[in-house]
Amino acid sequence: MQADGWKTATTTEALETGPVPAPHAAFTASRRTGPARHFFAGIGVWCILLAIAGFVPSFQAYFAGEFHIPPIVHVHAAIMMGWLVLYTAQAGLATRGNLRRHRRMGWLATGLAAAVWISMGVATVTALQQYAPDEAPFLVKPLLIQLGTMAVFPMFFIGAVLARRQAGWHKRLMALATFVLVQAALDRMHWLPDLGLPGFWETGLRGYVLLLLPLFAFDLSTLRRIHPATLIGAGLIIAMHGVVSFYWADDGWNQLARHVWMWLR
């Protein structure tokens, strides 16, 4: 029994850190991990639920006529939800060992990733054009978060594409790219307990607990260590949050944002 367990752990470790030799090999190893093989598909479903929980109140207010949402923002929302659905479907295909279709759909993911990034920028500019800085000064801080997300998301996605032959790196970097997109939903969960943390750390902590912590737990349960992709990705996200928090109440940033805002109008 110990020899069989060691062989399973060794196979799993090889697939996590090195290139996948063949679709059947990946499928066989994934079956040995038991329920853990469903983790990344499950985390996709979890991200969809978080997005719904975060944005439903905003759409309820919109349908009640409390504020206006420009059509381009609806397009942006559809693209973002499309990403979450595609990520979940791709993870499901890999779980079932259907790597051929998974790779074919990778081209769709590449196009959708570009659409996600472009729509974030367009939706941000559109939101700023709806108001003057004095009418909605609260938008200055979310602009910081949006810029941070637009900087980090392509890093994770491009890294995942470059590491597509290394299963452990690829699936974790794709998950991390998805995590940063869900941050916008977490920011809107005002019904969660307020811990009184300064700057952006209040909503940043939600992402650490609801998204990063499960990934760390998965690594420890399957590898008995934290995968390098998880460590690097978590460090990058926390560093981005640190930059956002540093400039959260900075007068220089606020003045610069207002000047850019007026120029966009």
Side-chain angles (χ1 to χ4, degrees):
M1 291 294 290
Q2 290 180 348
D4 290 342
W6 178 85
K7 185 183 292 185
T8 299
T10 303
T11 305
T12 302
E13 179 77 10
L15 287 169
E16 290 291 327
T17 57
V20 179
H24 294 297
F27 179 55
T28 301
S30 68
R31 291 180 62 183
R32 291 174 181 169
T33 62
R37 72 183 187 274
H38 298 290
F39 174 79
F40 288 96
I43 208 72
V45 174
W46 176 234
C47 287
I48 291 173
L49 293 175
L50 289 175
I52 293 172
F55 281 100
V56 159
S58 297
F59 279 98
Q60 286 177 331
Y62 164 73
F63 286 116
E66 296 180 14
F67 65 91
H68 172 68
I69 297 179
I72 189 62
V73 177
H74 289 291
V75 174
H76 166 67
I79 292 173
M80 300 294 273
M81 183 56 71
W83 172 270
L84 296 180
V85 171
L86 180 60
Y87 167 78
T88 305
Q90 282 286 74
L93 288 172
T95 297
R96 293 192 296 272
N98 194 344
L99 299 186
R100 184 170 298 174
R101 179 171 294 180
H102 175 87
R103 291 181 183 120
R104 285 204 302 264
M105 291 183 65
W107 292 106
L108 177 60
T110 300
L112 190 56
V116 163
W117 193 84
I118 293 170
S119 74
M120 281 193 289
V122 173
T124 300
V125 171
T126 302
L128 294 177
Q129 289 176 337
Q130 300 298 306
Y131 307 97
D134 292 333
E135 295 174 331
F138 59 87
L139 288 177
V140 171
K141 291 178 179 179
L143 178 59
L144 264 174
I145 305 167
Q146 192 78 337
L147 291 175
T149 301
M150 292 182 68
V152 172
F153 172 75
M155 294 182 188
F156 286 138
F157 181 76
I158 293 172
V161 172
L162 294 176
R164 62 189 179 277
R165 295 187 180 277
Q166 294 180 291
W169 282 85
H170 176 73
K171 60 190 178 183
R172 284 171 176 82
L173 290 172
M174 288 297 292
L176 289 161
T178 303
F179 289 172
V180 297
L181 298 183
V182 178
Q183 184 66 56
L186 301 181
D187 298 341
R188 289 163 171 79
M189 294 182 179
H190 305 299
W191 37 270
L192 289 176
D194 186 354
L195 301 178
L197 297 177
F200 183 69
W201 296 116
E202 182 73 35
T203 53
L205 182 62
R206 298 171 188 170
Y208 309 152
V209 173
L210 296 174
L211 296 170
L212 289 180
L213 186 59
L215 184 56
F216 273 77
F218 172 78
D219 280 359
L220 289 174
S221 66
T222 56
L223 301 177
R224 302 295 185 266
R225 62 180 178 83
I226 306 300
H227 194 282
T230 302
L231 288 173
I232 294 172
L236 185 57
I237 290 174
I238 294 172
M240 184 264 283
H241 290 172
V243 173
V244 169
S245 294
F246 180 81
Y247 288 102
W248 194 257
D250 182 73
D251 290 336
W253 158 254
N254 280 273
Q255 290 299 321
L256 175 62
R258 284 173 170 268
H259 286 306
V260 173
W261 192 342
M262 291 301 298
W263 176 76
L264 290 173
R265 288 176 57 84

